[in-house]
Amino acid sequence: LAHVQGTDEIQRAPPPNSIPWLVQPAQIHAPPAAAMQAVKESVRRSTTLTPDEEQWVDDGCLSRYIRAEEGNVTKAAKRIVSTLEWRRKTKPTEISCTDCANDHRAHDLRVIGVDRF
């Protein structure tokens, strides 16, 4: 529900599919296969991937990084290599939170709003 400014009227919010700026998953186009292959080859030339890293650098990962760099294959590859270096140094999959181990409700996450993607 939303208040219409300057009136006493209350309007019901439109359904999500009628919001023009909301992008539906079917509208998101995957980068061309050639771009994804070029990024993957560039990453492999830049660094040796472990089996876990090889699994992490999947089509979804490649697609996200290429979209983030607006189709720039070189920048996307550099960004993936940088992320891999960070993951090797910080080992995010091995981090454990003692608060979470003691109480699974220790951290609270509230999703507010809508993402374009």
Side-chain angles (χ1 to χ4, degrees):
L1 298 176
H3 178 258
V4 178
Q5 193 171 3
T7 70
D8 291 333
E9 186 180 339
I10 303 251
Q11 275 186 336
R12 197 172 281 286
N17 290 342
S18 68
I19 300 173
W21 53 264
L22 183 63
V23 177
Q24 299 300 316
Q27 294 172 302
I28 299 173
H29 300 290
M36 291 176 54
Q37 187 62 34
V39 170
K40 196 166 208 172
E41 288 172 5
S42 180
V43 168
R44 284 185 178 144
R45 278 193 308 272
S46 299
T47 186
T48 303
L49 299 175
T50 66
D52 286 340
E53 291 170 343
E54 191 73 48
Q55 194 172 13
W56 183 80
V57 182
D58 62 1
D59 287 349
C61 174
L62 294 169
S63 179
R64 284 187 296 276
Y65 278 78
I66 292 169
R67 278 198 324 258
E69 292 299 342
E70 298 177 352
N72 188 319
V73 172
T74 306
K75 284 185 178 180
K78 285 181 183 178
R79 198 173 203 181
I80 289 174
V81 170
S82 175
T83 300
L84 287 168
E85 289 169 359
W86 175 84
R87 290 176 64 87
R88 289 174 187 152
K89 186 173 78 174
T90 60
K91 299 181 184 347
T93 58
E94 296 176 15
I95 296 173
S96 82
C97 175
T98 55
D99 290 335
C100 292
N102 296 332
D103 178 11
H104 66 84
R105 296 169 294 175
H107 304 291
D108 191 32
L109 173 68
R110 297 175 195 269
V111 179
I112 300 172
V114 193
D115 191 353
R116 284 185 46 184
F117 300 107

